[in-house]
Amino acid sequence: MVKNEHVELIPIFDDNYVFVLIDNAGKKAVVVDPGDAGPVTEFLRARKLDLTAILVTHHHSDHIGGVAALKNTFGCPVYAPEKNQKQIPQADHWLKEGDVVKLSPWEFTILELPGHTLGHIAYWDQQHKWLFSGDVIFGLGCGRLFEGSHEQGYASLQRIKKLPPQTLIYCTHEYTERNLDFCRILTNQDNTPITGDSEALELYANELSNRRDLGLPSVPLKLSIEESTNPFLLAQDAEQFRYLRELRNRQ
C-alpha cells in the first residue's frame, strides 16, 4: 500500500536520481534536482500529477539541466540557494540557512552545507525525517570538494550526523557500490586511521548486493547505518577528513 506522501526516484544520465515527492491525496508533486526534464515530464503526466514546485540543492548542470523546461511546462516556482543566483537565473525564491519552505503537506528547513560547492543547501523535512542532500553525502562516501574547503566539507557532514538516526537521506547519485570498494581498501590498509564497524559494513554490503541484483537503488540511505560504516562520517576531525577525501580522489 502506497502512503499518502512518499518519494519516488527517477534515474537519469549514468547514475543520477531525480526525486519526486508525491502527495497522493492532492495529486501534487514536488521535484528535487531535475537534471533532465524529459523523464520527469513523462513521469508526472503518466501519474497525472500537478507539479507545484522545483527544489534545487546546487548549481551543477546535472541538477538544474531540466529546471527551465519544467518551469515553462508546468508554471511552477523554483527554489534555489541564495548564493547561486547568477548560476540559477530561473529561480523564483532564494534560500539561506534557517529558511523554511512550506509546500503542504511538506515543510522544509534549509541547511547550508558548503564543501561540494560553496552555495550548496539541503532540504530537511522534520516530520517525515527526510533529508534531500544533493551531493554532500553518498552511500559510504561524500561529494568531491569542487569549491569548498576540507574544513567546510567536514563541518557539513557533522551537521548531518546530528540529525535523528532514523533520517532517510536522499542523495543524488548511485555511488554506493564504488564507495564500498573504497571502504574495503581502507580496511586492508594498515596505516589508515579510520575504519568503520566491519560487521556492520558486511551487513551493509549484503543488503546492497541484494538490492542492486534486483535493480533497486541504494537510496535512500539510513543515517543510523551510515554513522557506523561511512568513513567520512567517522572522521574525527578535518585532517582525517582531508586524508580520506584525497585518498578517495585517487581511486
Side-chain angles (χ1 to χ4, degrees), residues 1-8 22-25 128 130 168:
M1 181 177 178
V2 177
K3 297 179 181 178
N4 272 344
E5 297 112 38
H6 69 287
V7 183
E8 295 205 22
I22 299 173
D23 171 17
N24 285 302
H128 295 86
W130 295 342
L168 295 179

Side-chain angles (χ1 to χ4, degrees), residues 63-74:
H63 293 250
I64 67 170
V67 168
L70 288 170
K71 182 178 179 179
N72 289 338
T73 299
F74 294 95

Side-chain angles (χ1 to χ4, degrees), residues 2 24 26 31 39 73-74 114 130 138 141-142 160 184 188 192 202 215 231 235:
V2 177
N24 285 302
V31 167
T73 299
F74 294 95
W130 295 342
F138 299 125
C142 74
I160 291 175
R184 286 178 165 156
N188 293 327
T192 183
E202 285 311 306

Side-chain angles (χ1 to χ4, degrees), residues 4-49:
N4 272 344
E5 297 112 38
H6 69 287
V7 183
E8 295 205 22
L9 282 63
I10 302 176
I12 62 170
F13 309 138
D14 293 331
D15 49 39
N16 281 67
Y17 292 122
V18 178
F19 302 115
V20 185
L21 288 69
I22 299 173
D23 171 17
N24 285 302
K27 300 298 288 182
K28 298 184 295 185
V30 170
V31 167
V32 183
D33 284 349
D36 187 2
V40 179
T41 300
E42 182 179 339
F43 178 95
L44 294 170
R45 286 178 170 164
R47 301 292 186 92
K48 296 181 171 57
L49 294 169

Side-chain angles (χ1 to χ4, degrees), residues 150-205:
H150 291 93
E151 288 76 15
Q152 287 174 317
Y154 173 75
S156 291
L157 290 182
Q158 291 304 299
R159 293 197 67 192
I160 291 175
K161 279 183 72 171
K162 292 177 181 177
L163 295 175
Q166 64 267 43
T167 296
L168 295 179
I169 301 172
Y170 289 89
C171 61
T172 327
H173 288 277
E174 186 59 67
Y175 288 162
T176 314
E177 288 171 297
R178 277 175 274 176
N179 289 331
L180 174 61
D181 292 339
F182 174 67
C183 288
R184 286 178 165 156
I185 291 171
L186 281 178
T187 301
N188 293 327
Q189 282 194 179
D190 293 334
N191 63 340
T192 183
I194 310 101
T195 54
D197 183 318
S198 58
E199 184 176 345
L201 185 63
E202 285 311 306
L203 289 172
Y204 193 129

Side-chain angles (χ1 to χ4, degrees), residues 19-180:
F19 302 115
V20 185
L21 288 69
I22 299 173
D23 171 17
N24 285 302
K27 300 298 288 182
K28 298 184 295 185
V30 170
V31 167
V32 183
D33 284 349
D36 187 2
V40 179
T41 300
E42 182 179 339
F43 178 95
L44 294 170
R45 286 178 170 164
R47 301 292 186 92
K48 296 181 171 57
L49 294 169
D50 178 29
L51 183 61
T52 59
I54 297 170
L55 308 181
V56 176
T57 62
H58 65 293
H59 63 81
H60 286 162
S61 60
D62 60 324
H63 293 250
I64 67 170
V67 168
L70 288 170
K71 182 178 179 179
N72 289 338
T73 299
F74 294 95
C76 59
V78 177
Y79 296 78
E82 184 177 72
K83 293 177 181 175
N84 291 145
Q85 293 186 36
K86 292 182 180 179
Q87 297 98 330
I88 314 175
Q90 309 94 335
D92 305 283
H93 303 283
W94 303 109
L95 303 173
K96 63 184 183 304
E97 174 71 29
D99 284 348
V100 175
V101 178
K102 295 182 180 181
L103 299 167
S104 182
W106 304 290
E107 182 173 307
F108 304 98
T109 300
I110 302 306
L111 307 178
E112 289 190 6
L113 300 176
H116 181 68
T117 66
L118 289 175
H120 201 300
I121 62 173
Y123 298 82
W124 164 240
D125 184 319
Q126 184 172 2
Q127 177 186 352
H128 295 86
K129 302 295 187 292
W130 295 342
L131 180 71
F132 296 92
S133 58
D135 288 355
V136 175
I137 184 172
F138 299 125
L140 300 175
C142 74
R144 285 180 179 266
L145 304 178
F146 289 108
E147 297 175 8
S149 67
H150 291 93
E151 288 76 15
Q152 287 174 317
Y154 173 75
S156 291
L157 290 182
Q158 291 304 299
R159 293 197 67 192
I160 291 175
K161 279 183 72 171
K162 292 177 181 177
L163 295 175
Q166 64 267 43
T167 296
L168 295 179
I169 301 172
Y170 289 89
C171 61
T172 327
H173 288 277
E174 186 59 67
Y175 288 162
T176 314
E177 288 171 297
R178 277 175 274 176
N179 289 331
L180 174 61

